Amino acid sequence: MSEEKWLVVLNPNAGGRLAEKEWPQIEKELKQQNFSFDLCKTEKPLHAVQLVEKKIKEGFRKIIAVGGDGTLHEVVNGIMKQKLVNADDILLAMISIGTGNDWIKTHGISSDYKEAIQQIKNGNTIKQDVGKIIFKNGSVNPEVRYFINSVGIGFDASVVKYILPQKKKGKSSKKEYVIGLIKSLFTNKNILTRLQLDENIIQTKVYNLTVGLCRYKGGGFKMSPNAVPNDGKLDITLASKISKRKIISCLPKLMAGKIEKIKYFDFYQVKNLILHASGPMCTEADGEYLGLYPLQVSIIPSKIKLISNFKPDKLI
């Protein structure tokens, strides 16, 4: 197979089926820009993981994910779980048509598909860190998932859980996210948790814990303001012992991207996080719901080669 040929992984459900609607125009633009590619469409959750593993065995070394952060998440897991080649032998690019589109905000990738395709053609790359989360989801044996943007434990993931039924139907939207957010405000609780952050041990009641490789999540909330995607560190944003009233009072600053100015949040940078929670805690990775029992989060430095316009001096 020619090394110039791309694998395009399209999630038709992304963005409330906007990806399916816009694909003919994207396909036309790719052809006009002289891209040679094969198309694979996902048909079910985690299908992209299987497709990517299969296509790498067939010789593909360049992949374009067309969809949202969840599509990128699955493609990254396909790259990480295959054992044929090193993960950084694969070049990964993104045409973002999702609900949140958070990963592209850190990397300076355009949300306009024509501009994104031009950025792919320009070929600027970065080797980004990859996160690894070990968790339990109703089974005895722990499961492993890789992530490329962030992990949310507690409130963040509770929101994702509430919108999951609509997302499975291809009906995800900003409206559904807001409804999930409001429901979570009334149901999410502080859970007594023992956190091991590298060698530092903290015992506290966790309301929300964000683990960021990149800065944005939840459709534009800058939850990890100091995150750099290739610094070999997990950026931890911890909200503990916080009430619903305090969360509501924080919303204006959260929406303005000023989380570091909110006194109820603490920030850490670590390479490894171990959790011992006294009860179930909703857990998500890159906006994909994982379950109720997070165990450990760690980092694999400079693991994935990506098309990126990342410029740390221009991040605000």
Side-chain angles (χ1 to χ4, degrees):
M1 179 180 295
S2 170
E3 293 185 358
E4 295 304 311
K5 196 167 191 179
W6 291 83
L7 171 67
V8 173
V9 179
L10 168 67
N11 177 7
N13 278 336
R17 302 201 70 85
L18 183 61
E20 181 180 52
K21 180 180 178 181
E22 293 199 357
W23 169 247
Q25 288 76 34
I26 296 170
E27 181 180 35
K28 181 179 178 181
E29 184 67 21
L30 285 168
K31 289 178 178 178
Q32 288 181 343
Q33 294 290 336
N34 297 315
F35 279 79
S36 175
F37 62 91
D38 282 0
L39 172 66
C40 286
K41 294 183 180 182
T42 63
E43 299 173 356
K44 56 187 178 181
L46 299 178
H47 191 199
V49 180
Q50 302 167 14
L51 291 173
V52 167
E53 289 187 90
K54 178 176 181 288
K55 290 298 182 178
I56 288 174
K57 289 179 182 179
E58 292 178 9
F60 284 91
R61 298 294 179 266
K62 299 198 298 185
I63 303 171
I64 301 173
V66 181
D69 292 324
T71 308
L72 184 66
H73 171 84
E74 291 194 16
V75 171
V76 166
N77 274 270
I79 293 172
M80 293 297 296
K81 290 183 177 183
Q82 60 80 34
K83 304 299 181 185
L84 184 64
V85 298
N86 293 330
D88 58 5
D89 287 339
I90 309 297
L91 176 59
L92 177 58
M94 182 71 177
I95 298 174
S96 191
I97 313 176
T99 304
N101 300 327
D102 287 307
W103 179 84
I104 63 171
K105 294 178 177 69
T106 296
H107 283 273
I109 299 298
S110 177
S111 58
D112 178 271
Y113 70 84
K114 289 186 179 181
E115 293 178 4
I117 290 169
Q118 184 59 54
Q119 289 173 322
I120 297 170
K121 197 169 185 178
N122 291 344
N124 297 325
T125 64
I126 185 177
K127 284 190 178 181
Q128 190 194 303
D129 305 332
V130 173
K132 177 182 177 181
I133 179 168
I134 301 173
F135 63 99
K136 285 186 177 180
N137 185 24
S139 60
V140 175
N141 297 322
E143 299 180 41
V144 173
R145 192 76 67 87
Y146 299 94
F147 63 96
I148 195 70
N149 189 61
S150 68
V151 156
I153 298 169
F155 179 81
D156 283 352
S158 177
V159 177
V160 173
K161 181 181 179 181
Y162 278 118
I163 65 176
L164 187 62
Q166 294 301 314
K167 188 174 182 179
K168 287 182 176 179
K169 297 176 184 177
K171 296 180 180 180
S172 57
S173 66
K174 293 285 186 182
K175 178 183 176 182
E176 295 295 335
Y177 184 85
V178 171
I179 292 171
L181 190 149
I182 293 170
K183 287 182 178 179
S184 294
L185 280 173
F186 287 97
T187 58
N188 191 62
K189 298 179 180 179
N190 291 281
I191 301 295
L192 182 62
T193 307
R194 182 177 181 269
L195 302 173
Q196 183 173 337
L197 307 174
D198 288 342
E199 303 305 318
N200 185 26
I201 294 176
I202 301 171
Q203 186 157 314
T204 188
K205 289 186 176 181
V206 174
Y207 187 80
N208 189 70
L209 191 152
T210 297
V211 184
L213 299 176
C214 299
R215 296 193 172 189
Y216 299 88
K217 68 175 307 174
F221 289 97
K222 191 161 66 170
M223 293 296 293
S224 304
N226 301 309
V228 175
N230 60 349
D231 65 355
K233 298 174 183 177
L234 299 168
D235 277 65
I236 310 297
T237 302
L238 173 63
S240 57
K241 301 178 184 177
I242 191 167
S243 66
K244 296 176 180 65
R245 179 184 59 80
K246 289 177 180 178
I247 283 288
I248 293 170
S249 71
C250 291
L251 286 176
K253 287 183 179 178
L254 281 173
M255 296 180 74
K258 298 179 180 179
I259 191 173
E260 67 273 22
K261 296 184 178 180
I262 302 172
K263 62 182 179 181
Y264 308 122
F265 291 83
D266 295 309
F267 304 92
Y268 307 88
Q269 288 186 321
V270 302
K271 293 185 177 181
N272 194 54
L273 163 66
I274 299 174
L275 302 98
H276 299 279
S278 61
M281 301 180 73
C282 290
T283 306
E284 58 87 13
D286 298 335
E288 298 298 296
Y289 186 71
L290 300 184
L292 295 171
Y293 299 95
L295 301 173
Q296 183 175 359
V297 187
S298 57
I299 194 162
I300 309 170
S302 302
K303 191 63 175 178
I304 291 278
K305 187 177 180 182
L306 302 156
I307 295 292
S308 170
N309 281 335
F310 172 66
K311 294 180 177 66
D313 56 323
K314 292 188 178 181
L315 280 176
I316 57 174

